[in-house]
Amino acid sequence: MPKSAAEPAARPMRADARRNYDRIVAAAETLVAEQGAEASLEEIARHAGVGSATLHRHFPSRQALLEAVFKGQVDVLCAKARDLLPDPDPGAALVTWLRAVCAHAVANRGLGASVMHGTRTRDGDPTLGSTCHAMITTAGDQLLDRAREVDAVRPGVTITHLLKLVGAIASATEEDPGGPAEADRLLDLAIDGVRAR
């Protein structure tokens, strides 16, 4: 429901609260990368240098914290896509971005799936998963459109196809000790299959 003009705007966070929020998100990013989406909230609070109550004041549920981590990382991937748009080699730009998406997915074991699954529950923002998905799809589609213009990809390839391939590769390699390198090799194979002949 839209806010009425009489309702006050949300107050900005105090500087110390903003610092705590940022430290919690940074600690969660690190521990999710190391341990997966089920990383201990208490350990995240310790790593951030805050108490458990502070963590829960900012993030009332695990889902809320994972959403903050996921949204921040999606913003980074979308910014990378924007930076690559003017690249003189659109095919190479698309491949560079897909590698970044794959590296993100491998490094953040289970994060995307956990957030997407969680948006079906009452804990989280019901629009976050679909909003992040739309952001990634739009960013990738712009790069794919440029690659199509120079015939760098096969006809009929969609960004959904490419993101599903990246997701499958990340899922298949996230438990491997050499996961990032194996993911990169598999991505090379997949990319070779979508290049125009």
Side-chain angles (χ1 to χ4, degrees), residues 102 106 168-180 182-183 186:
C102 192
V106 170
I169 289 168
S171 179
T173 59
E174 69 182 16
E175 297 298 325
D176 287 2
E182 181 66 7
L186 292 172

Side-chain angles (χ1 to χ4, degrees), residues 3 21 46 72 75-76 87 122 157 183:
K3 288 187 175 185
Y21 179 96
R46 267 194 312 278
D75 288 340
V76 168
D87 192 295
R122 282 183 245 144
V157 172

Side-chain angles (χ1 to χ4, degrees), residues 93-119:
L94 176 62
V95 170
T96 298
W97 185 74
L98 289 172
R99 286 191 194 291
V101 173
C102 192
H104 156 76
V106 170
N108 293 284
R109 301 177 313 168
L111 176 62
S114 178
V115 170
M116 294 303 283
H117 175 72
T119 57

Side-chain angles (χ1 to χ4, degrees), residues 139-157:
D141 229 357
Q142 292 171 341
L143 290 169
L144 180 58
D145 285 345
R146 289 207 61 236
R148 276 192 198 106
E149 289 169 7
V150 297
D151 296 322
V153 294
R154 297 175 143 186
V157 172

